[in-house]
Amino acid sequence: MAGAYKLEISQSEAELKSLLCQQKTVRARERVQLLYLLKTKQAETVQAAAAMLGRNRVTVQDWLRLYREGGIESLLHQKKGGGRPRKIPEWAVSSLQQRLQTGEGFDSYGAICEWLEESLGVSAAYKTVHKLVHDRLQASPKVARLQSAALAEE
């Protein structure tokens, strides 16, 4: 038969069904569903399985190649995204976080920029520092100031 696949799926139907329910991402669910369709003979060929999943035949064949080479772990393995590295490295963020937790604080986000440059040698724009401290660390650079003696007596 043309398009027939030659692949032995080692998991049982019950294992695949429970594995299908455990998947949190659509990407992983589709791949397990492919194995389930082939194991239960709902799809006789790779092309039929591709049509049921709404994927290209070549994509489905790539998934089966991954399964053949490395098993279910290889099929479900998700690569880390590339992306640009952060402008302020993690070691600098942890140092800044420790400094923010002390009573010293900073006068402004500009002062944090200067401190990063002088103390840690990390150059970062004001906007980057503000986004880090305000959004990511959810901290404030300001510290509580003592009230003047005249205001304290009232």
Side-chain angles (χ1 to χ4, degrees):
M1 174 192 272
Y5 67 97
K6 292 176 177 55
L7 178 68
E8 183 61 37
I9 299 172
S10 59
Q11 289 79 13
S12 68
E13 289 180 30
E15 288 175 328
L16 288 172
K17 194 166 189 172
S18 69
L19 193 59
L20 187 61
C21 294
Q22 293 171 7
Q23 299 311 306
K24 292 181 178 19
T25 63
V26 174
R27 176 189 173 279
R29 197 171 297 124
E30 274 183 323
R31 293 171 182 219
V32 175
Q33 189 175 12
L34 167 66
L35 296 177
Y36 184 76
L37 289 172
L38 294 173
K39 184 73 172 188
T40 58
K41 304 260 192 262
Q42 292 178 27
E44 294 292 327
T45 64
V46 172
Q47 192 159 359
M52 287 179 174
L53 293 171
R55 292 295 191 151
N56 191 299
R57 176 187 54 81
V58 176
T59 302
V60 171
Q61 286 176 332
D62 286 341
W63 293 350
L64 292 174
R65 178 186 48 79
L66 284 172
Y67 180 76
R68 194 177 298 114
E69 291 172 358
I72 195 80
E73 295 82 20
S74 177
L75 182 66
L76 298 178
H77 175 73
Q78 192 161 357
K79 297 178 196 169
K80 280 280 194 180
R84 183 180 67 198
R86 293 186 184 268
K87 186 73 174 172
I88 303 174
E90 283 303 314
W91 59 268
V93 172
S94 62
S95 296
L96 175 61
Q97 198 167 19
Q98 288 174 353
R99 172 73 193 268
L100 286 169
Q101 289 173 353
T102 65
E104 296 175 42
F106 294 96
D107 290 331
S108 65
Y109 290 106
I112 296 174
C113 293
E114 291 172 11
W115 180 81
L116 283 170
E117 181 73 44
E118 293 168 4
S119 301
L120 305 176
V122 175
S123 177
Y126 180 94
K127 184 177 180 180
T128 306
V129 171
H130 180 272
K131 193 170 189 96
L132 169 70
V133 174
H134 186 265
D135 297 344
R136 211 167 121 212
L137 299 178
Q138 296 180 342
S140 173
K142 310 281 182 168
V143 293
R145 305 285 186 228
L146 295 174
Q147 293 181 347
S148 67
L151 290 175
E153 291 174 3
E154 292 177 2

